[in-house]
Amino acid sequence: MHEQNYFQSLVAAFVRGKLAHTDSYETHQALFTTPLETLSGEEVQELIQLGTAYGLRLHKFKDTMELARVRNVLGILKGLQPANLLDIGSGRGAFLWPLINEFPTLPVTSLDILPHRVEDMLAVQRGGIGHLSAILGDVTTMAFPDRSFDVVTMLEVLEHIPATTRALSQVCRVARRWVIFSVPSKEDNNPEHIHLFNQHTLQNKLAEQGVTRVKFDFVPNHMIVVAKVAA
């Protein structure tokens, strides 16, 4: 394994969070107690080897997996410079991990409906990424106060949700400045995709929430929506 294949701090944090109560902690305690930011490349490699031997799935932390829509949204966020961010439906982290790597001090809250995904995020938090928090929940029933997050992101999620109007209502409610999301722009063979949106439909759905400043960007097979939430 080559260390440049992984987001170094994230993979190290994940392994530390997952193995904190195992024999590995007792026999390699320094790897778990040294501040994350001071771990050497060799120490990160030791953690990767421990995680691999334990059967942890580390491929999600490879930095070679960045997608066009992820690059696009990260570029948008560099211009917005959010104070904090809510990422909805983080899943295996295809956007979340590049986001944290690119913005290493940004307070990020992740919301996901699957317990094992949330546990993975919490392991990263326990392992040393203290500005990440993760919550088990459904976008249509979020309990966050109004305007809790400077920016809300939701990549490849809306097409899975039956109650899209309710989801967008909640997203726009908790966002303080911007909502950014992506959806497929053409039909595919994913049986979990229950909606196919076009630009006109999304513009109307956002207008129902009082959002009229909307920009659409396109990358191969996907549409990215950047919406300015009314103050």
Side-chain angles (χ1 to χ4, degrees):
M1 284 181 195
H2 303 289
E3 63 181 72
Q4 65 268 21
N5 289 340
Y6 290 90
F7 295 123
Q8 294 290 279
S9 293
L10 294 171
V11 73
F14 178 69
V15 173
R16 295 196 332 175
K18 285 289 190 180
L19 301 187
H21 300 290
T22 68
D23 291 343
S24 295
Y25 178 89
E26 299 301 329
T27 55
H28 301 83
Q29 196 166 118
L31 294 177
F32 291 81
T33 56
T34 299
L36 186 65
E37 63 274 12
T38 66
L39 288 173
S40 68
E42 291 76 14
E43 288 170 325
V44 171
Q45 288 304 299
E46 286 186 63
L47 283 166
I48 290 172
Q49 291 166 9
L50 287 174
T52 301
Y54 202 80
L56 297 181
R57 295 170 62 85
L58 305 181
H59 63 279
K60 61 176 74 73
F61 297 102
K62 286 188 176 182
D63 66 7
T64 56
M65 298 177 67
E66 191 175 303
L67 304 169
R69 58 186 178 273
V70 171
R71 290 195 301 271
N72 184 295
V73 173
L74 290 177
I76 293 167
L77 290 172
K78 286 179 183 178
L80 298 179
Q81 288 297 306
N84 64 352
L85 184 146
L86 169 66
D87 184 50
I88 295 170
S90 299
R92 63 183 177 83
F95 171 66
L96 180 65
W97 307 135
L99 169 70
I100 293 174
N101 183 71
E102 198 71 31
F103 296 87
T105 62
L106 174 66
V108 174
T109 300
S110 172
L111 179 86
D112 203 272
I113 202 167
L114 297 176
H116 69 282
R117 297 299 191 191
V118 173
E119 170 51 34
D120 282 353
M121 297 164 207
L122 291 175
V124 173
Q125 179 194 54
R126 292 193 301 269
I129 305 295
H131 56 94
L132 170 66
S133 58
I135 296 173
L136 181 68
D138 187 321
V139 63
T140 65
T141 56
M142 293 189 293
F144 303 117
D146 294 357
R147 308 292 183 253
S148 293
F149 300 96
D150 207 19
V151 175
V152 178
T153 54
M154 185 170 62
L155 276 63
E156 306 305 294
V157 174
L158 194 62
E159 66 272 16
H160 296 264
I161 300 172
T164 56
T165 299
R166 176 64 179 167
L168 287 174
S169 172
Q170 285 290 296
V171 168
C172 293
R173 179 184 66 78
V174 303
R176 187 161 53 246
R177 288 201 298 148
W178 298 93
V179 170
I180 304 171
F181 62 94
S182 70
V183 294
S185 59
K186 58 177 60 176
E187 289 188 18
D188 56 37
N189 58 4
N190 188 333
E192 295 181 358
H193 290 176
I194 60 177
H195 304 286
L196 179 64
F197 301 102
N198 59 39
Q199 199 168 325
H200 178 73
T201 300
L202 290 174
Q203 187 112 35
N204 286 342
K205 283 183 172 293
L206 287 166
E208 291 174 4
Q209 307 306 323
V211 178
T212 56
R213 291 179 56 187
V214 184
K215 178 185 176 183
F216 295 88
D217 286 335
F218 293 86
V219 297
N221 302 320
H222 294 87
M223 178 166 47
I224 297 166
V225 184
V226 183
K228 179 70 170 70
V229 178

